[in-house]
Amino acid sequence: MPMFQPTQSSSLLNRGTVTHLVKRITARVFVHPTHGDGGNPVTIFHFHHNQHQRQQQRQNETSPLSPSRGLFQKLAKSCDWESVIIHNDKFSFYLPNGDDVSFCAHAAIAGCHVLNWRNETQVCPTPVTFTTQDKDETSTTTHLAVVEDDGIIGLTLPHDVHELSVDKDVVQRLLEEIRLEQSDIIVSESLSPLPSSATNALPLVNSSAVIPYRYKTLIPLQNAEAVHRAQNPKRAHVFRQLCDLLSSTGVYLYSPSSFDDGDGSDPGGASLSSSSWECRQFPRASGYPEDPATGVAAAALAGSLRRRGYCGEGGNVLRFYQGRRMGMLSEIGIEFLKDGGG
């Protein structure tokens, strides 16, 4: 659920003889309902065109009027967190270091919120569509989101998760970089008995819920205390190299959650049948050491949990709490649809 800060501005960017009108909006997404200072920050750059420019764009997508990738990178580097650039309803996602990424869930949700502002009827639920560039750069993919009457935006991810096994020795070295030990991982023997719906141990895998694949290394820990005992990577370059060995875009630590999110207390005794999970993500190399909310990681974990029978008490909705250690508590809800999407 996006929570938009009141700061937004418009500016004119000159590129040769072409002037672009760009609206810059800051937002936070996945804000916990009782912790207004949480959520994942994002900046939206919305390119506007006058009538003549729109006509030119319809005739030639790569005309001189089109903003360049270099301009996108320059805008992205002006941000402390991820950004999404909206141009002709096409979304481009960037890290604060200027690198582009194929997909970013919280940025996509924020972008959909901006596109929905143009909807004059405001009839809910309202579908919002946008496109992203495919990896081959010759085709696009169309995505769907739905704006509900309470303002919450649901983003549909139609694909089942794709998993890869991981090298346990590399995982051990990753744990050392964030000051954890092998004994902090939940192993199969410690899960007896399993919840009635579960068919296997908690996933310790690479998992992706989006295409092109953006694998997150899912690491199940003994409890929330272990999740929050982890520290930022000691050596960023070593952490990045280890993620590369796993073809991973980041490490996603998780355990069943027993927190009372009204006051932040942890009574302990979390159940593996719980529909709530405590998480932290340390990205491979995003320009910051930890992420307060990671939609693609939560979706990957949700799919991998569901595949093994960890569907929570209700069976359809799992909730992931992230950013608590950073003082930016976030809540990500994943609902499984009847057709298999989420």
Side-chain angles (χ1 to χ4, degrees), residues 95-173:
L95 300 174
N97 61 10
D99 291 344
D100 62 328
V101 293
S102 59
F103 196 82
C104 178
H106 82 282
I109 291 174
C112 288
H113 204 294
V114 171
L115 290 185
N116 186 58
W117 286 349
R118 303 180 311 186
N119 176 24
E120 296 180 356
T121 60
Q122 293 297 311
V123 176
C124 294
T126 303
V128 178
T129 60
F130 63 95
T131 62
T132 56
Q133 191 77 48
D134 289 345
K135 193 172 184 179
D136 58 14
E137 297 186 357
T138 61
S139 57
T140 60
T141 298
T142 300
H143 304 267
L144 173 67
V146 176
V147 183
E148 303 293 347
D149 55 7
D150 54 6
I152 293 179
I153 292 182
L155 180 64
T156 300
L157 299 177
H159 306 288
D160 191 11
V161 293
H162 187 268
E163 295 182 348
L164 293 176
S165 60
V166 294
D167 185 322
K168 302 297 178 61
D169 291 335
V170 177
V171 170
Q172 170 64 34
R173 292 165 64 189

Side-chain angles (χ1 to χ4, degrees), residues 2-310:
M3 173 179 171
F4 282 78
Q5 299 171 342
T7 55
Q8 59 177 304
S9 61
S10 297
S11 60
L12 296 175
L13 299 178
N14 293 313
R15 180 191 172 204
T17 60
V18 179
T19 299
H20 299 289
L21 174 62
V22 182
K23 180 173 288 187
R24 177 182 181 130
I25 305 164
T26 58
R28 286 177 289 127
V29 182
F30 301 133
V31 178
H32 189 280
T34 62
H35 292 71
D37 54 350
N40 201 349
V42 62
T43 302
I44 307 100
F45 295 101
H46 192 196
F47 279 75
H48 295 262
H49 302 288
N50 58 34
Q51 185 175 358
H52 173 68
Q53 288 175 316
R54 284 194 294 269
Q55 184 178 6
Q56 291 289 324
Q57 282 292 325
R58 284 193 292 268
Q59 294 174 355
N60 184 5
E61 177 69 20
T62 60
S63 74
L65 297 177
S66 297
S68 67
R69 183 173 182 270
L71 176 58
F72 290 173
Q73 290 177 314
K74 181 178 179 180
L75 292 173
K77 289 180 179 180
S78 71
C79 306
D80 294 327
W81 300 88
E82 286 90 348
S83 59
V84 56
I85 295 173
I86 306 175
H87 178 248
N88 290 343
D89 292 352
K90 181 185 291 184
F91 287 12
S92 300
F93 306 104
Y94 284 86
L95 300 174
N97 61 10
D99 291 344
D100 62 328
V101 293
S102 59
F103 196 82
C104 178
H106 82 282
I109 291 174
C112 288
H113 204 294
V114 171
L115 290 185
N116 186 58
W117 286 349
R118 303 180 311 186
N119 176 24
E120 296 180 356
T121 60
Q122 293 297 311
V123 176
C124 294
T126 303
V128 178
T129 60
F130 63 95
T131 62
T132 56
Q133 191 77 48
D134 289 345
K135 193 172 184 179
D136 58 14
E137 297 186 357
T138 61
S139 57
T140 60
T141 298
T142 300
H143 304 267
L144 173 67
V146 176
V147 183
E148 303 293 347
D149 55 7
D150 54 6
I152 293 179
I153 292 182
L155 180 64
T156 300
L157 299 177
H159 306 288
D160 191 11
V161 293
H162 187 268
E163 295 182 348
L164 293 176
S165 60
V166 294
D167 185 322
K168 302 297 178 61
D169 291 335
V170 177
V171 170
Q172 170 64 34
R173 292 165 64 189
L174 279 169
L175 290 176
E176 292 173 357
E177 286 298 314
I178 55 177
R179 280 80 159 186
L180 292 178
E181 300 177 357
Q182 186 72 28
S183 59
D184 290 313
I185 295 180
I186 290 183
V187 294
S188 302
E189 291 76 11
S190 64
L191 295 180
S192 181
L194 293 173
S196 58
S197 60
T199 59
N200 208 334
L202 290 173
L204 173 56
V205 294
N206 272 5
S207 181
S208 174
V210 296
I211 297 175
Y213 299 133
R214 286 182 51 78
Y215 292 108
K216 298 296 179 182
T217 302
L218 311 179
I219 303 181
L221 299 185
Q222 296 283 354
N223 47 46
E225 185 276 330
V227 171
H228 294 299
R229 188 166 14 94
Q231 300 180 36
N232 292 340
K234 293 184 292 186
R235 298 166 295 179
H237 68 287
V238 173
F239 188 82
R240 177 173 182 165
Q241 291 168 357
L242 293 172
C243 286
D244 288 343
L245 290 175
L246 296 177
S247 299
S248 173
T249 62
V251 169
Y252 206 49
L253 309 177
Y254 71 97
S255 74
S257 178
S258 59
F259 276 91
D260 176 358
D261 287 308
D263 59 12
S265 62
D266 179 15
S271 168
L272 288 170
S273 298
S274 172
S275 58
S276 299
W277 300 80
E278 195 74 17
C279 307
R280 290 177 72 186
Q281 200 231 178
F282 297 97
R284 166 186 171 273
S286 295
Y288 49 81
E290 183 175 357
D291 199 2
T294 318
V296 293
L301 176 54
S304 289
L305 287 171
R306 189 193 192 204
R307 177 175 288 184
R308 292 161 176 79
Y310 295 91

